[in-house]
């Protein structure tokens, strides 16, 4: 790889004793040969454990379900991709020509997977404590912003439970449009709720995100959520 990894390692806050480990962590399967999928598997388990341990310590009054939802919010792909972008990780990825042409270096799933792979590589290179310190440093600002109010169930789940409690039909989500290239699509989703005269619309970079937005608007119209959503 022509580009020096030193600036990236400085941003990560970790110096690899074996540089081949981070190189492998940055290698997508499209590149050919060995890739980062095994390291991603390891890193996924580690980041879940480190964040779970930290949440367990910070929120001593929280119930299991609350802790699970807080962890899910932190270690979801979108959050991992945000952190990867903060490090400029896309500039260092090793991708095949097809992924390069389609903008794979910007794709959230690839960025999130690479970050997990780096966590796995750090664990193998420096052990659990060094890995834990880095992960907690990366997530520090997000951890500091968390409160138990963030453990509320997602809008789609709350809308479904609200309707079920009133023996109403479940909401129906329909795709109205999908625009943009494969790596940067925008989804428009329509949510149809029997208790509402008008359908609600959600727009997002993923189908799930658009559905959640449409469900949130439906909850607002039903008076379940405040209008500030």
């Amino acid at each position: 790889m022509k580009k020096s990894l030193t600036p990236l390692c400085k941003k990560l806050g970790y110096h690899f004793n074996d540089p081949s480990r981070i190189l492998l962590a940055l290698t997508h399967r499209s590149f050919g040969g060995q890739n980062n999928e095994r390291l991603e598997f390891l890193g996924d388990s580690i980041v879940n454990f480190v964040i779970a341990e930290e949440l367990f310590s910070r929120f001593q009054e929280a119930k299991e379900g609350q802790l699970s939802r807080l962890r899910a919010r932190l270690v979801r792909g979108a959050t991992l991709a945000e952190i990867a972008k903060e490090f400029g990780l896309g500039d260092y990825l090793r991708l095949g020509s097809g992924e390069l042409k389609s903008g794979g270096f910007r794709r959230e799933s690839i960025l999130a997977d690479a970050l997990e792979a780096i966590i796995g590589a750090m664990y193998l290179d420096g052990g659990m404590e060094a890995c834990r310190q880095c992960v907690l440093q990366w997530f520090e600002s997000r951890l500091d912003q968390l409160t138990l109010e963030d453990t509320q169930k997602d809008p789609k789940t709350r809308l479904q439970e609200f309707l079920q409690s009133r023996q109403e039909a479940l909401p129906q989500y329909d795709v109205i449009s999908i625009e943009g290239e494969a790596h940067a699509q925008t989804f428009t989703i329509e949510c149809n709720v029997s208790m509402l005269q008008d359908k609600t619309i959600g727009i997002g970079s993923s189908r799930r995100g658009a559905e959640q937005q449409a469900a949130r608007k439906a909850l607002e119209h039903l008076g379940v959520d405040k209008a500030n959503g």
Side-chain angles (χ1 to χ4, degrees), residues 5 7 12 22 32 42 46 57 68 76 103 136 158 176 192 195 204 223:
L5 297 177
L12 296 173
I22 186 173
L42 184 60
I46 293 169
S57 174
S68 294
R76 63 185 177 180
L136 291 179
R158 284 184 283 132
I176 302 304
N192 184 11
M195 293 178 68

Side-chain angles (χ1 to χ4, degrees), residues 92-103:
Y92 298 90
L93 293 175
R94 303 173 83 197
L95 303 170
S97 58
E99 283 293 350
L100 280 172
K101 291 178 182 177
S102 65

Side-chain angles (χ1 to χ4, degrees), residues 58 140-147 150:
R58 286 189 181 222
E140 183 178 14
S141 62
R142 292 169 173 84
L143 282 162
D144 290 343
Q145 292 171 9
L146 290 180
T147 69
D150 296 317

Side-chain angles (χ1 to χ4, degrees), residues 67-132:
L67 292 172
S68 294
R69 285 190 284 275
L70 285 175
R71 181 181 61 181
R73 176 174 175 174
L74 283 176
V75 301
R76 63 185 177 180
T79 305
L80 293 170
E82 284 176 6
I83 295 173
K85 290 175 183 177
E86 290 168 7
F87 292 141
L89 205 60
D91 295 337
Y92 298 90
L93 293 175
R94 303 173 83 197
L95 303 170
S97 58
E99 283 293 350
L100 280 172
K101 291 178 182 177
S102 65
F105 57 91
R106 292 191 299 264
R107 189 169 296 135
E108 285 193 354
S109 60
I110 291 178
L111 289 168
D113 290 348
L115 190 69
E116 288 181 334
I118 287 175
I119 292 170
M122 286 169 48
Y123 169 75
L124 294 176
D125 191 77
M128 189 63 185
E129 188 52 38
C131 188
R132 178 189 283 109

Side-chain angles (χ1 to χ4, degrees), residues 5-6 13 22 24 31 38 45-46 55 69 74 78 106 140 148 151-152 159 166 183 213 216 229:
L5 297 177
T6 301
I22 186 173
L24 181 59
F31 192 77
R38 283 172 53 84
S45 299
I46 293 169
L55 292 172
R69 285 190 284 275
L74 283 176
R106 292 191 299 264
E140 183 178 14
L148 288 183
T151 62
Q152 190 171 225
L159 178 59
R166 285 156 179 75
H183 63 277
Q213 187 183 106
R216 184 180 293 109

Side-chain angles (χ1 to χ4, degrees), residues 11-222:
K11 292 178 183 177
L12 296 173
Y14 183 81
H15 172 77
F16 280 85
N17 298 306
D18 183 354
S20 68
R21 288 194 167 114
I22 186 173
L23 196 62
L24 181 59
L26 294 167
T27 305
H28 187 257
R29 64 177 179 271
S30 64
F31 192 77
Q34 286 189 311
N35 58 65
N36 63 7
E37 288 183 337
R38 283 172 53 84
L39 286 174
E40 174 202 336
F41 165 79
L42 184 60
D44 174 68
S45 299
I46 293 169
V47 70
N48 271 278
F49 170 74
V50 170
I51 295 301
E53 183 183 50
E54 181 66 14
L55 292 172
F56 184 85
S57 174
R58 286 189 181 222
F59 299 97
Q60 299 188 14
E61 302 301 318
K63 297 179 180 179
E64 183 270 341
Q66 292 176 303
L67 292 172
S68 294
R69 285 190 284 275
L70 285 175
R71 181 181 61 181
R73 176 174 175 174
L74 283 176
V75 301
R76 63 185 177 180
T79 305
L80 293 170
E82 284 176 6
I83 295 173
K85 290 175 183 177
E86 290 168 7
F87 292 141
L89 205 60
D91 295 337
Y92 298 90
L93 293 175
R94 303 173 83 197
L95 303 170
S97 58
E99 283 293 350
L100 280 172
K101 291 178 182 177
S102 65
F105 57 91
R106 292 191 299 264
R107 189 169 296 135
E108 285 193 354
S109 60
I110 291 178
L111 289 168
D113 290 348
L115 190 69
E116 288 181 334
I118 287 175
I119 292 170
M122 286 169 48
Y123 169 75
L124 294 176
D125 191 77
M128 189 63 185
E129 188 52 38
C131 188
R132 178 189 283 109
Q133 289 179 11
C134 282
V135 169
L136 291 179
Q137 182 179 351
W138 299 351
F139 281 88
E140 183 178 14
S141 62
R142 292 169 173 84
L143 282 162
D144 290 343
Q145 292 171 9
L146 290 180
T147 69
L148 288 183
E149 294 177 1
D150 296 317
T151 62
Q152 190 171 225
K153 295 177 181 177
D154 66 81
K156 282 186 67 177
T157 300
R158 284 184 283 132
L159 178 59
Q160 178 175 318
E161 292 179 350
F162 175 82
L163 294 172
Q164 286 177 326
S165 70
R166 285 156 179 75
Q167 297 183 329
E168 293 284 343
L170 294 180
Q172 180 179 332
Y173 299 92
D174 297 309
V175 178
I176 302 304
S177 68
I178 304 175
E179 301 177 349
E181 300 296 328
H183 63 277
Q185 292 181 327
T186 298
F187 292 79
T188 300
I189 300 290
E190 190 176 70
C191 177
N192 184 11
V193 177
S194 58
M195 293 178 68
L196 294 174
Q197 183 176 355
D198 298 322
K199 298 175 182 179
T200 57
I201 301 294
I203 300 173
S205 58
S206 69
R207 177 168 180 165
R208 172 178 168 78
E211 288 177 348
Q212 295 287 9
Q213 187 183 106
R216 184 180 293 109
K217 290 181 179 179
L219 287 166
E220 292 172 7
H221 292 321
L222 289 166

